Amino acid sequence: MPTAIQTTDELYQALQDNDERPYGRTRTVTAEELVDAAEQFEEPVPLVHALLELQEAYTYGSEPRKSPVVFARLLTLFDEQPDVFDERLRHMLFWRFKWVGHALRQLPEIPLASLRQWLTEMRDRYEKAGLGLQPYYGQAYQLAAHVGEDTALAYELWAGRTRTRLSDCEACEICERALFHLAAGDDERALRTWEPVLNGKESCQEEPARSLSYALLPLLRTQHADRARELHLAGYRACRRNPSMSGEVGRHLEFCALTGNEARGLELLAENRNLFDEVDSPLDQLDFLTGVEVLLQRVEHLGHGELPTAGYAGRTWTVAALRAEVRGRADDLAARFDARNGTSTRTDRRRTRLDSAPLLDALELTLRTRSLDDVAPAAPVAAPASRTTTAVPDTLPELILRARELDEQGHPEAQTCFARLRTLVAARDYDHPDDPAVGPLVRLRADLLADEANRAGNKDDFAEATALHEEAAALYEDAAEPGHAAFARACALLAAAQIPGEEEKADAAEAKAAALTAVHASVVRLHEETTGLAPYQEARLLRLRATALALRLQTTPSEEHVAPVFAEADLLQAFATRHDLSGQISGALMLRASTHAISGDLPAAVTEIDALLDRLKAHGPAWHLPRTLGLRGRLQLALREPQAAHADLTEALRLAADWPADTMDTTRLHGDLAEACMHLGRPEEALRHLTRSAETDLRRGNRIDAFCTYSNAAQLSLDLDRVEDCIALLDSLLAEPDVTSGELDDRLAAQLRLTRARALRAGEDLKAATAEFAALAAESAGWDDDPGSHAMIAAETAVLLGESGEFGRARDAADQAIAAHARDPRYELLSNCLRELGRLQAQQQGAEGLADARAFLADAGRVADEARAAGYEARGRSLDSALAYEHGRVSAYAGAYEDALAALEKALALLGEPGPEDDRAGEWAECVRLAGAVEGLYLKRTAPALVRLDAAVAHLTATGHTEETETLTSLAARLRDEE
């Protein structure tokens, strides 16, 4: 890259470009090449600048061995040619004595005598230059704290001195003072000292990230867990993957380990796997590895030593193996430092951290709370035992018979028994009982296939369900079980009809309805042709008949499809009543209620569901109560009764806990509760239910549904201004294997990234937000089937680039948005973007940027013309009046005050004077205010400006818009004072 550099101007531009890169190997290598390029020039100043850039890259790229070497060259240049160093370069040179002291402390091979010799050199140089010695004493204290000797005296010699221009920044010194109190065991005083940094009042390159990492455990020890949680989220994001802040990352891992967040700790460790190989500082390595070991030690203590984890490159690691490796390396580093320092300080501090007991059993750090079971590589963890779990029989014949008995009842515990049987039958030494009551092995295999097919159908994997039901039917026939075979074939027919086709949406609905009609006819034939059916089998076939027609009604809610569903449901209810099949009676009544709801008769649906609930409470089955209450909750939502819905859904969740989790649709219950909470104005509670719904889906393997729900949760958390929660949630999701591998739907992944980019922007991390927006804009440019989304993303990207002052790139992004808008109009969005770009350019560049700013506004004018021609009505401000106002503001920023006043007069004419109920009063008042300011303050026409303002105040007051008068009366008072 720098080989083409021929002039010093090119060198300085390359240095500036490199300064904008993040610290790391790319920046460091470029800095090294720029030093080589600078040496070609006879004048030494370019070389000084290049060496300063290289030392900075080494320092913040965690390469302490190289930083002192570069500084030695700078010091030689200074000694030989002091006049080359102007005041700024001289200041930087003396500042960086501290960098060298810091670098030498990090290297155990540097003798202690050499460190002290360097401090003497620093003191001599400072005294010779007439500089205050407070920075020297600061370095002396830091060495004493590192060694662990004479710390109190060194602290007093430093902390009692007056700061100088070369002292560390306020934030860094605050951290050092707080750490002194922390080492003395005074958590409260340390936190009080840290407060300006923790509150964001003081900051620098390393702060507040460094202080935040140290303050986490003291906050927990002083009962400030919520504050610790908040600072963990903000602080971790500032230091992750950064080699020069590996110690801070280690302390965040330790915090996770001591708060019951071991799974999050492993997740963060995976995200920072680069630190195992990219940290060249032995002291930083020791700090990082100790934090890693605290985490791994805790995970292994909890019985998860065989979990896979991220570690050193070149091999795969388990928790136990990595812990052993880390322990050996960290013990060796601590011993080397102690040998160099002549103390046991490093080993003692390391042992103190490793001996720490958990400070909290569980602290909910993120919206996505996970356990170590959740991160296990096996299939989704088995459902937790229910509160009413039936004991699984010990003997195999009893287990088989019990599974079938429960299955006949539709009891949820049947799945528990079948799961146990599936494990037993899969064993190589399985020996099937020779028992006529149990039947042949082929019958049991059919039972297991049928159960597996039902599970696949519950996950909407209808193709798999179809194949499994057909295979089960064949085995049932081999086992001479015609009733079971008929039911399995009927289930296969119903599942096959629900496999998505390739037709267009409208055609797909008609095709599915026709398929379900055919399924109903086929099941009726099966029912009629199959002899010897047991009552529960016949009831199941009747239920399938009714279900096929109910699904048809859902697919095409035609009035003619309603009566057939009621007819089949009534047949089922009558049959089930004769044979006292309580589960099927409940199913029939549920079908009736659902049919009323689909056909639009919500009161009738509520009546039916109330009757069903009364019956369930009296006669059971109890496991139908959660589903029934869930339906009533949804009906209450449809009737706009969110409080009643919340009560029903809450009770449904409570009762669902009595049964195996996989058999209860708690995912939907949580989702419906989230909706009810939003209607009730309880968004925080809604957020909890959304995340629980999503995590339940994820555990069950429904990943697309889970990511969609998490996307909604992330957006809600952003709406609630929980920016760090939003970012942490999305970082966790975007690190999932199917996201990083590209297996997840690209549009869904893009939505997650878009929300994250917006959150980064809200969190004022403009650099990261801009990078993400730009990447998304580039990707979405290829979405030929969705140009509207590309227009939206490109427009947001353009505004963010404008905020950063990159108007060339902003123009390119805006042009992309305009081109996409031409294919899929987004009038309001694009108009807002273009107007904002015009404002930003005029505000930042004044008269110099006026022409380009007006070009943006001209594009906005064309968009407004298109919208008017298309009959589009903006949901917010009128595009025309908003554009006229922006012309006024842009002209005012550029000093074109006559043009500004004319544009604002046009805006006021377009708006018209607001009436009593007019929601445009605020917009109109703002136009008047800006017109008054331009006229009175800049054009010095005080009298007409006051007439304008007084008239507007009188009109707003008369029409009841008194709040909108405040800015106008304030401006009028100012103008009168200046007369």
Side-chain angles (χ1 to χ4, degrees):
M1 179 218 53
T3 54
I5 291 176
Q6 301 296 325
T7 68
T8 56
D9 286 344
E10 291 176 353
L11 176 68
Y12 288 134
Q13 183 59 53
L15 286 169
Q16 183 178 332
D17 293 342
N18 200 40
D19 187 57
E20 294 176 359
R21 292 189 174 94
Y23 296 109
R25 287 305 303 159
T26 300
R27 176 167 176 168
T28 300
V29 169
T30 302
E32 291 170 340
E33 293 171 344
L34 289 174
V35 168
D36 293 338
E39 290 178 331
Q40 69 180 293
F41 303 112
E42 291 184 7
E43 53 184 308
V45 175
L47 179 60
V48 171
H49 282 280
L51 289 170
L52 288 168
E53 163 62 23
L54 180 58
Q55 188 191 12
E56 181 177 344
Y58 284 147
T59 298
Y60 289 105
S62 190
E63 296 189 61
R65 289 182 172 85
K66 298 177 180 178
S67 173
V69 177
V70 177
F71 188 75
R73 290 189 65 183
L74 283 165
L75 206 54
T76 299
L77 282 168
F78 178 75
D79 289 339
E80 294 173 351
Q81 305 178 64
D83 292 342
V84 166
F85 289 75
D86 60 18
E87 181 60 30
R88 176 174 170 274
L89 293 177
R90 182 174 178 275
H91 178 85
M92 292 177 69
L93 180 80
F94 279 94
W95 181 277
R96 295 188 179 193
F97 272 88
K98 298 179 293 182
W99 285 14
V100 175
H102 177 71
L104 296 176
R105 286 196 300 275
Q106 296 182 74
L107 305 173
E109 63 267 30
I110 303 298
L112 187 60
S114 297
L115 275 94
R116 289 175 171 151
Q117 182 180 346
W118 176 252
L119 285 177
T120 301
E121 172 80 5
M122 178 182 176
R123 177 172 186 146
D124 291 346
R125 292 270 188 171
Y126 269 54
E127 287 180 329
K128 182 178 179 181
L131 300 172
L133 292 181
Q134 195 263 10
Y136 157 76
Y137 283 105
Q139 287 293 299
Y141 163 67
Q142 290 179 37
L143 178 59
H146 169 77
V147 172
E149 285 187 342
D150 302 322
T151 307
L153 176 60
Y155 177 81
E156 292 302 328
L157 288 171
W158 160 64
R161 290 180 178 268
T162 303
R163 287 173 46 79
T164 74
R165 288 180 62 246
L166 288 167
S167 296
D168 285 342
C169 73
E170 288 277 9
C172 287
E173 290 204 344
I174 285 171
C175 185
E176 291 298 337
R177 288 198 294 271
L179 289 176
F180 174 77
H181 298 311
L182 192 63
D186 194 341
D187 287 343
E188 294 282 5
R189 188 172 181 185
L191 291 170
R192 286 196 303 273
T193 303
W194 256 317
E195 201 56 35
V197 176
L198 302 186
N199 286 337
K201 294 179 181 178
E202 299 290 345
S203 63
C204 68
Q205 177 79 29
E206 298 175 346
E207 295 291 352
R210 181 168 176 248
S211 290
L212 294 183
S213 71
Y214 278 112
L216 297 175
L217 298 185
L219 283 167
L220 290 180
R221 291 193 292 262
T222 55
Q223 312 304 310
H224 295 97
D226 288 342
R227 180 78 165 132
R229 174 189 181 278
E230 173 191 338
L231 298 185
H232 163 68
L233 293 179
Y236 169 70
R237 185 162 62 84
C239 64
R240 64 179 184 166
R241 297 195 294 268
N242 185 344
S244 69
M245 304 200 86
S246 57
E248 284 77 0
V249 172
R251 285 186 284 278
H252 282 281
L253 297 179
E254 181 179 359
F255 176 72
C256 290
L258 301 182
T259 56
N261 287 278
E262 299 84 6
R264 174 168 169 80
L266 292 178
E267 184 179 293
L268 301 190
L269 181 59
E271 189 176 16
N272 290 276
R273 69 183 72 211
N274 65 301
L275 300 183
F276 284 106
D277 304 301
E278 294 180 11
V279 179
D280 191 50
S281 159
L283 189 59
D284 286 349
Q285 285 181 24
L286 174 59
D287 212 4
F288 171 64
L289 292 178
T290 300
V292 171
E293 188 178 351
V294 172
L295 171 66
L296 299 176
Q297 175 180 270
R298 179 64 183 159
V299 174
E300 191 171 4
H301 175 75
L302 293 173
H304 292 274
E306 296 309 309
L307 275 179
T309 188
Y312 293 95
R315 60 164 284 187
T316 58
W317 294 94
T318 64
V319 165
L322 182 62
R323 181 192 172 197
E325 178 73 18
V326 164
R327 181 173 59 242
R329 295 190 187 212
D331 282 346
D332 178 64
L333 285 169
R336 289 174 61 199
F337 276 109
D338 285 345
R340 189 271 300 275
N341 297 336
T343 65
S344 62
T345 299
R346 289 291 142 183
T347 298
D348 294 343
R349 290 176 184 173
R350 174 171 150 71
R351 178 50 49 200
T352 298
R353 291 175 70 181
L354 288 169
D355 288 345
S356 297
L359 296 171
L360 290 174
D361 291 334
L363 173 63
E364 190 172 305
L365 288 183
T366 69
L367 295 173
R368 190 183 183 200
T369 302
R370 308 175 78 200
S371 69
L372 289 170
D373 288 328
D374 295 324
V375 299
V381 62
S386 63
R387 293 197 291 256
T388 61
T389 298
T390 304
V392 176
D394 293 330
T395 69
L396 185 57
E398 288 177 339
L399 178 59
I400 295 171
L401 294 174
R402 181 61 174 157
R404 290 172 181 165
E405 177 189 357
L406 293 173
D407 183 54
E408 287 180 15
Q409 299 170 17
H411 198 292
E413 294 289 355
Q415 290 191 11
T416 305
C417 293
F418 280 129
R420 174 67 179 145
L421 283 169
R422 190 172 288 107
T423 302
L424 295 173
V425 172
R428 297 182 63 180
D429 59 350
Y430 176 75
D431 184 17
H432 191 69
D434 184 12
D435 185 339
V438 169
L441 176 60
V442 67
R443 162 74 194 278
L444 178 56
R445 292 193 184 281
D447 292 337
L448 296 176
L449 281 171
D451 176 67
E452 193 176 344
N454 290 333
R455 289 173 178 266
N458 290 338
K459 294 180 179 180
D460 293 342
D461 188 351
F462 297 115
E464 178 72 4
T466 300
L468 291 169
H469 278 305
E470 288 175 345
E471 190 177 352
L475 293 181
Y476 277 129
E477 287 179 350
D478 292 344
E481 293 287 348
H484 286 294
F487 181 65
R489 294 207 183 282
C491 289
L493 290 169
L494 186 61
Q498 296 177 81
I499 298 174
E502 298 180 359
E503 304 90 348
E504 293 294 328
K505 189 172 182 180
D507 296 336
E510 291 298 328
K512 184 176 178 181
L516 289 166
T517 300
V519 167
H520 176 261
S522 298
V523 175
V524 169
R525 282 195 301 274
L526 267 174
H527 186 186
E528 292 172 347
E529 294 169 0
T530 306
T531 58
L533 290 169
Y536 80 91
Q537 293 172 328
E538 191 164 355
R540 285 183 170 181
L541 287 170
L542 285 168
R543 177 75 172 273
L544 272 181
R545 287 164 50 170
T547 300
L549 296 183
L551 288 172
R552 183 181 68 176
L553 178 61
Q554 288 181 18
T555 304
T556 56
S558 171
E559 188 175 344
E560 67 185 67
H561 291 159
V562 175
V565 182
F566 281 126
E568 287 287 4
D570 290 344
L571 278 175
L572 172 60
Q573 183 180 356
F575 182 87
T577 301
R578 285 199 304 276
H579 294 279
D580 195 24
L581 302 172
S582 61
Q584 296 295 359
I585 295 172
S586 169
L589 293 173
M590 180 71 85
L591 273 169
R592 287 185 58 82
S594 300
T595 303
H596 280 302
I598 294 170
S599 61
D601 191 351
L602 296 181
V606 172
T607 300
E608 290 270 7
I609 214 73
D610 286 345
L612 173 55
L613 283 169
D614 290 341
R615 176 180 175 81
L616 289 173
K617 291 170 185 176
H619 306 290
W623 58 86
H624 281 200
L625 277 168
R627 180 182 63 174
T628 308
L629 283 165
L631 176 57
R632 187 165 76 170
R634 290 191 291 279
L635 292 173
Q636 298 288 9
L637 282 174
L639 290 168
R640 300 184 180 180
E641 295 288 348
Q643 190 63 60
H646 187 276
D648 283 337
L649 293 165
T650 301
E651 179 65 4
L653 266 181
R654 187 186 71 80
L655 294 174
D658 289 340
W659 308 101
D662 282 351
T663 65
M664 297 287 124
D665 192 3
T666 53
T667 300
R668 182 163 190 179
L669 291 176
H670 279 298
D672 292 335
L673 258 172
E675 182 181 350
C677 290
M678 290 302 292
H679 285 298
L680 291 170
R682 289 145 63 174
E684 294 284 355
E685 186 180 345
L687 187 57
R688 287 197 301 274
H689 286 298
L690 280 176
T691 55
R692 288 169 185 168
S693 174
E695 200 62 36
T696 302
D697 258 336
L698 210 56
R699 287 176 183 144
R700 295 177 180 177
N702 304 327
R703 300 189 68 79
I704 296 296
D705 291 340
F707 280 116
C708 287
T709 304
Y710 267 132
S711 178
N712 293 335
Q715 184 59 56
L716 178 56
S717 65
L718 184 56
D719 293 341
L720 292 172
D721 201 29
R722 293 177 59 172
V723 175
E724 294 298 341
D725 278 313
C726 178
I727 295 171
L729 171 60
L730 290 167
D731 283 345
S732 176
L733 295 173
L734 291 168
E736 285 286 323
D738 47 355
V739 181
T740 56
S741 66
E743 295 174 29
L744 185 70
D745 176 78
D746 62 338
R747 305 300 168 83
L748 180 51
Q751 180 59 57
L752 296 172
R753 290 170 57 201
L754 179 60
T755 305
R756 181 178 181 274
R758 289 168 175 163
L760 289 169
R761 182 182 184 183
E764 299 183 355
D765 190 347
L766 297 185
K767 188 173 183 179
T770 302
E772 187 66 273
F773 266 115
L776 283 167
E779 290 177 27
S780 61
W783 296 353
D784 293 335
D785 61 329
D786 189 11
S789 290
H790 176 55
M792 173 191 68
I793 294 170
E796 290 192 55
T797 304
V799 171
L800 195 54
L801 288 166
E803 290 175 354
S804 302
E806 299 184 58
F807 290 105
R809 293 178 65 196
R811 179 74 259 184
D812 293 340
D815 288 342
Q816 287 185 40
I818 291 170
H821 156 83
R823 297 172 55 202
D824 188 2
R826 293 289 189 273
Y827 302 110
E828 193 163 4
L829 177 146
L830 189 55
S831 174
N832 293 344
C833 159
L834 294 166
R835 297 196 316 270
E836 179 65 4
L837 286 171
R839 181 192 72 79
L840 288 167
Q841 189 150 19
Q843 183 183 42
Q844 293 180 32
Q845 298 180 351
E848 183 181 338
L850 181 58
D852 289 338
R854 284 178 170 169
F856 282 125
L857 297 185
D859 287 335
R862 283 186 282 274
V863 172
D865 293 341
E866 294 169 8
R868 199 181 314 107
Y872 175 82
E873 290 188 14
R875 287 172 294 180
R877 301 165 64 191
S878 157
L879 301 189
D880 291 311
S881 63
L883 178 59
Y885 171 80
E886 212 59 71
H887 268 293
R889 188 155 57 161
V890 162
S891 296
Y893 280 137
Y897 299 120
E898 293 288 1
D899 291 345
L901 187 59
L904 292 166
E905 294 281 13
K906 179 180 178 181
L908 287 166
L910 288 169
L911 285 169
E913 290 187 341
E917 303 299 326
D918 201 327
D919 58 3
R920 295 172 300 124
E923 183 181 358
W924 183 82
E926 168 56 20
C927 279
V928 172
R929 184 203 65 78
L930 186 53
V934 169
E935 197 170 24
L937 296 177
Y938 299 106
L939 292 174
K940 303 303 181 183
R941 301 171 189 165
T942 307
L946 285 171
V947 170
R948 179 193 303 276
L949 292 168
D950 291 343
V953 169
H955 178 77
L956 290 169
T957 302
T959 52
H961 299 293
T962 54
E963 187 176 334
E964 286 79 3
T965 66
E966 293 178 6
T967 58
L968 304 184
T969 54
S970 175
L971 176 58
R974 177 182 173 185
L975 289 174
R976 287 189 171 94
D977 288 343
E978 294 180 3
E979 275 188 304

